[in-house]
Amino acid sequence: MSTRVTDRTATVFTLPDAALDGLGTRPFGVYIHVPFCATRCGYCDFNTYTAGELGTSASPQSWLEGLRRELDAGAAMLGRDGRTVPATETVFVGGGTPSLLGGDGLSNVLAAVRSSFGLAAGAEVTTESNPESTSPEFFEAIRGAGYTRVSLGMQSAAQHVLRVLDRTHTPGRAVAAAKEARAAGFGHVNLDMIYGTPGERDEDLDATLDAVLSAEVDHVSAYSLIVEDGTALARKVRRGELPAPDDDVLAARYERIDARLAEAGMGWYEVSNWSKPGAECRHNLGYWDGGDWWGAGPGAHSHVGGVRWWNVKHPARYADELAAGALPVADSETLTAEDRHMERVMLVLRLRTGLPLADLQPDEVAAAERVVDEGLLRRDGDRVVLTDRGRLLADGVIRDILS
């Protein structure tokens, strides 16, 4: 098991030399968490806050001031004792709703990353956006600031499905926003889908896929609806107001999505992600391939050299701790060799490139061979790769190998 240290703040938190010594040998990225949303979606359990929930305790300005301090402190920690801080290869601004910051706000965010960690030549810079808080002027502003990729939350093209999810955008707005982003010069645009929402019909999924393909994006993320504890959706399911997602329906929807996207020239490269060749999200690949990243913002998670830590969640406390000169670290853990092995199997096996058999212990190789015989994995040289049916049961395949 990992070694955990609880209730730590920056007055005591530091990275050990062993974690820093490998910097630059692994991909390095920066994740920025924007905790603000205009409304709360019923299915969402992310660390986000509406203006009414925050009141006067925090604001985008206090968050940005804290963000600058955290990034500067992070660069100083990684550059301790004369070490070279790796230039940032990927930046991902997520949330929450980053587009609520507007073009100027997101430009300031990227400027803060540049001034602290710096950007590598050809860096991938992504921001998530809600279609309703974007415009041609917004896309032109962030493209001019240096963003190279936009990820838009579409979820569905069916109004009644969006209503169940408590999404506020109109069905056609996501496609229009994607086209505006492309017109502003973005070569890489992603649309996020959610499938399996209660009340979604086959024709609703087909309409969503038609809309996605009409937008001519080069990347699609499609996630089955998960009913998270503590959400408004979970309460409705518990009260019997909505049915829980059906596993057989989810499997059929996934196969339909995969087939339609493949026909359009987008292949899967991770179980829930499809892209045209060369349009894979490099930032997410850094997570899956065991890279390093600094996560800045309330509740953001970081990982460097086998040490993982995460920030306090509330934006007010986040800003206050940084104003007091402390990194806002809530908790941390040092991963053991066993932890790192398990995580590598869990993440890499979800990729289309598969998992090298050399990464497995002898008993795990034997288990993987049994899964091959069951038709859920296939051999590809010295690697094992999920079959089409295996993708539907990926979590179970991973458990079988690791158990």
Side-chain angles (χ1 to χ4, degrees):
M1 296 296 292
S2 57
T3 301
R4 301 189 63 183
V5 181
T6 58
D7 296 327
R8 298 177 71 172
T9 64
T11 55
V12 294
F13 176 76
T14 189
L15 284 168
D17 288 342
L20 296 174
D21 287 345
L23 276 174
T25 64
R26 299 175 294 270
F28 180 76
V30 171
Y31 172 75
I32 306 292
H33 185 70
V34 181
F36 308 111
C37 280
T39 60
R40 180 171 297 281
C41 298
Y43 64 93
C44 179
D45 71 340
F46 294 165
N47 185 46
T48 61
Y49 304 83
T50 65
E53 290 168 338
L54 285 173
T56 59
S57 65
S59 68
Q61 185 57 41
S62 65
W63 168 84
L64 180 59
E65 290 170 0
L67 182 72
R68 291 189 178 114
R69 292 188 176 105
E70 183 183 1
L71 292 172
D72 286 344
M77 180 180 288
L78 298 190
R80 191 177 70 214
D81 300 326
R83 290 178 172 84
T84 299
V85 179
T88 306
E89 299 172 39
T90 62
V91 178
F92 197 104
V93 185
T97 311
S99 49
L100 286 179
L101 300 177
D104 288 345
L106 284 173
S107 298
N108 289 335
V109 168
L110 187 53
V113 176
R114 277 200 184 95
S115 68
S116 54
F117 289 103
L119 285 181
E124 175 194 87
V125 183
T126 304
T127 183
E128 293 180 336
S129 297
N130 184 316
E132 292 294 341
S133 52
T134 63
S135 66
E137 294 75 20
F138 167 83
F139 291 119
E140 289 168 4
I142 62 172
R143 186 72 186 96
Y147 286 80
T148 66
R149 190 173 179 277
V150 172
S151 180
L152 294 159
M154 177 180 185
Q155 281 68 54
S156 175
Q159 183 67 64
H160 69 96
V161 173
L162 293 175
R163 191 177 303 114
V164 171
L165 296 172
D166 291 328
R167 294 290 295 186
T168 58
H169 64 269
T170 53
R173 178 57 201 154
V175 171
K179 292 179 178 179
E180 290 167 2
R182 290 176 50 244
F186 281 94
H188 298 304
V189 181
N190 172 66
L191 284 173
D192 273 352
M193 293 174 53
I194 291 179
Y195 61 94
T197 300
E200 180 188 62
R201 303 163 299 184
D202 289 344
E203 53 263 41
D204 297 325
L205 179 66
D206 286 338
T208 298
L209 288 165
D210 289 342
V212 166
L213 296 176
S214 75
E216 299 182 350
V217 297
D218 63 353
H219 192 288
V220 174
S221 299
Y223 304 103
S224 63
L225 180 68
I226 297 176
V227 180
E228 301 285 2
D229 290 341
T231 62
L233 180 63
R235 291 189 288 273
K236 290 179 180 178
V237 170
R238 187 171 60 249
R239 292 193 298 262
E241 298 172 19
L242 292 172
D246 180 271
D247 288 342
D248 291 337
V249 171
L250 293 176
R253 297 268 160 82
Y254 180 90
E255 291 174 332
R256 180 62 173 163
I257 291 166
D258 184 53
R260 289 289 305 276
L261 295 180
E263 290 172 2
M266 280 186 271
W268 77 281
Y269 69 98
E270 191 273 342
V271 168
S272 299
N273 289 273
W274 292 256
S275 77
K276 293 183 178 178
E280 298 85 355
C281 178
R282 289 163 47 196
H283 185 84
N284 285 342
L285 282 171
Y287 294 150
W288 299 322
D289 285 338
D292 294 327
W293 70 93
W294 191 285
H301 286 229
S302 303
H303 171 268
V304 172
V307 178
R308 184 161 50 211
W309 67 98
W310 46 99
N311 288 344
V312 298
K313 288 188 172 183
H314 199 280
R317 185 180 172 197
Y318 170 80
D320 288 346
E321 292 210 10
L322 284 156
L327 276 172
V329 177
D331 200 354
S332 68
E333 61 182 347
T334 299
L335 302 178
T336 65
E338 180 183 1
D339 293 330
R340 298 176 80 167
H341 171 72
M342 291 177 62
E343 290 195 0
R344 177 162 175 78
V345 173
M346 290 171 62
L347 296 173
V348 175
L349 196 58
R350 293 176 62 88
L351 298 175
R352 184 169 192 161
T353 48
L355 178 72
L357 286 167
D359 288 353
L360 297 176
Q361 303 298 324
D363 59 331
E364 294 170 343
V365 172
E369 294 288 5
R370 290 194 293 271
V371 179
V372 170
D373 292 340
E374 294 169 2
L376 303 179
L377 286 175
R378 62 178 175 83
R379 289 288 297 267
D380 184 4
D382 60 354
R383 310 172 80 90
V384 285
V385 180
L386 290 168
T387 63
D388 290 346
R389 190 161 68 91
R391 277 188 279 159
L392 297 172
L393 302 168
D395 291 343
V397 170
I398 292 165
R399 285 195 299 271
D400 287 345
I401 292 173
L402 291 173
S403 60

